[in-house]
Amino acid sequence: MFTFSRRSASTTVMAGLLSLGLVACGGGTTKDSASSAAPAAPASSAPATANPNAPIKEGLKLAFLPKQINNPYETIVDKAGIEAAAEFKGEAKEVGPSDASASSQVSYINTLTQQGHDAILIAANDANAVCGPLQQARSKGVKIVSYDSDASKDCRDIFINQANSEEIGRSQVKLLSEMIGSKGEIAILSATANATNQNTWIEFMKDELGKPEYKDMKLVKVAYGDDDDQKSFQETQGLLQAYPNLKGIISPTTVGISAAARYISGSKYKGKVVLTGLGTPNQMRQFVKDGTVEKFALWNPKDLGYLASYAAAALASGQITGAEGEVLKAGKLGERTVGKDGEIILGPPFVFDKGNIDQFDF
């Protein structure tokens, strides 16, 4: 496992900072062949008992199933999780679809179940579309960890949330508001219309915008770039043409914000339309330095993958069951407590700007 580097301070210090608070291609990245969908079956209703002192089993087989293969952000997450598995003498791989459609992950879940994996870790494209196959996997003893974008809580054991969803949504509005003086038309450039995490964050953004201090800000459009670079680029162009008085765009997706920045940087809107959202420092560095983007946010995606990997191992080894109040021992990240509905939070988002972006490399 490699973690992001901080050039002016130790990795330990920065990991601690991000803990108070958010994909590089690797040899383990493959696209497995898909099989036909299997019928859903309910998971066992017998209550499991955790043994926090149980050792992590050696030779565990884990599989990361991202929204789509070759999404740069999810590659970082999954590669870190694959490397974390080596720390506890497990094996892990990444497989998945080339598109982020609602049902594109179903056949992969069925294949991984048939292959006898101990755990499947999934960033769900659609919370409900994957539910039946995940329940089928659980009925066969496979542990299910969702990360980044949750599956229905009845269809998985643990959800590794990169940050508190409410905090992400509200903080995005606050960040944009500061930069546009709490006044003007704004738009949101999201990923897919079915993405659980995106929709949750957007609902909190809308709720935040209903507060009196944002009375002069108006959300005119939520556009969807489907986490595709070219479509996100085109959607940005369409927003700016359709709404000539647009003052700001929030893109809470790493693919979307980088595509939007690329369009704005070469257009007449540079310096006139404020862009913020969720991005990685390496994607956004050039746009921060050339003045296209002033501030954006994220967490450490490598830590997200690392935490998910340890959660899967703890579940498969019987250290935790996903019950509220249990404590996960997560290697170098220390301990995390399981919250309501089996949610474990990595930490709050961190804001990047010209003054600190060169301290990070991921």
Side-chain angles (χ1 to χ4, degrees), residues 57-128:
K57 296 178 181 178
E58 292 188 12
L60 291 172
K61 292 174 62 179
L62 314 182
F64 281 81
L65 179 53
K67 294 177 181 178
Q68 62 190 111
I69 288 292
N70 296 328
N71 176 312
Y73 166 78
E74 298 213 339
T75 300
I76 294 174
V77 175
D78 296 351
K79 188 175 184 201
I82 291 167
E83 292 176 347
E87 294 184 5
F88 47 78
K89 299 181 180 179
E91 299 177 6
K93 65 180 181 179
E94 181 196 57
V95 299
S98 58
D99 67 277
S101 62
S103 61
S104 62
Q105 296 170 309
V106 169
S107 58
Y108 290 91
I109 298 170
N110 295 332
T111 297
L112 293 170
T113 302
Q114 294 165 5
Q115 291 173 345
H117 284 75
D118 294 291
I120 297 172
L121 302 92
I122 181 171
N125 282 324
D126 185 294
N128 296 313

Side-chain angles (χ1 to χ4, degrees), residues 66-225:
K67 294 177 181 178
Q68 62 190 111
I69 288 292
N70 296 328
N71 176 312
Y73 166 78
E74 298 213 339
T75 300
I76 294 174
V77 175
D78 296 351
K79 188 175 184 201
I82 291 167
E83 292 176 347
E87 294 184 5
F88 47 78
K89 299 181 180 179
E91 299 177 6
K93 65 180 181 179
E94 181 196 57
V95 299
S98 58
D99 67 277
S101 62
S103 61
S104 62
Q105 296 170 309
V106 169
S107 58
Y108 290 91
I109 298 170
N110 295 332
T111 297
L112 293 170
T113 302
Q114 294 165 5
Q115 291 173 345
H117 284 75
D118 294 291
I120 297 172
L121 302 92
I122 181 171
N125 282 324
D126 185 294
N128 296 313
V130 297
C131 194
L134 290 180
Q135 287 288 51
Q136 178 73 14
R138 294 177 78 201
S139 73
K140 296 181 181 299
V142 182
K143 301 302 181 182
I144 306 298
V145 175
S146 60
Y147 65 97
D148 182 53
S149 184
D150 200 7
S152 174
K153 65 182 180 182
D154 296 325
C155 308
R156 48 77 173 161
D157 298 290
I158 287 285
F159 171 42
I160 305 297
N161 199 350
Q162 50 267 59
N164 179 279
S165 295
E166 180 173 359
E167 186 172 15
I168 293 173
R170 296 189 189 282
S171 67
Q172 291 282 284
V173 171
K174 292 174 184 176
L175 194 58
L176 180 61
S177 175
E178 291 171 1
M179 293 186 283
I180 65 172
S182 303
K183 185 179 298 185
E185 294 182 351
I186 68 169
I188 296 171
L189 175 62
S190 185
T192 65
N194 294 316
T196 314
N197 56 344
Q198 298 281 315
N199 290 337
T200 301
W201 299 339
I202 290 169
E203 285 305 309
F204 282 117
M205 290 181 202
K206 291 178 178 178
D207 187 71
E208 182 71 15
L209 285 167
K211 293 181 178 180
E213 55 263 47
Y214 307 110
K215 61 181 177 61
D216 293 324
M217 289 174 62
K218 180 182 179 183
L219 177 62
V220 294
K221 178 75 173 181
V222 177
Y224 298 96

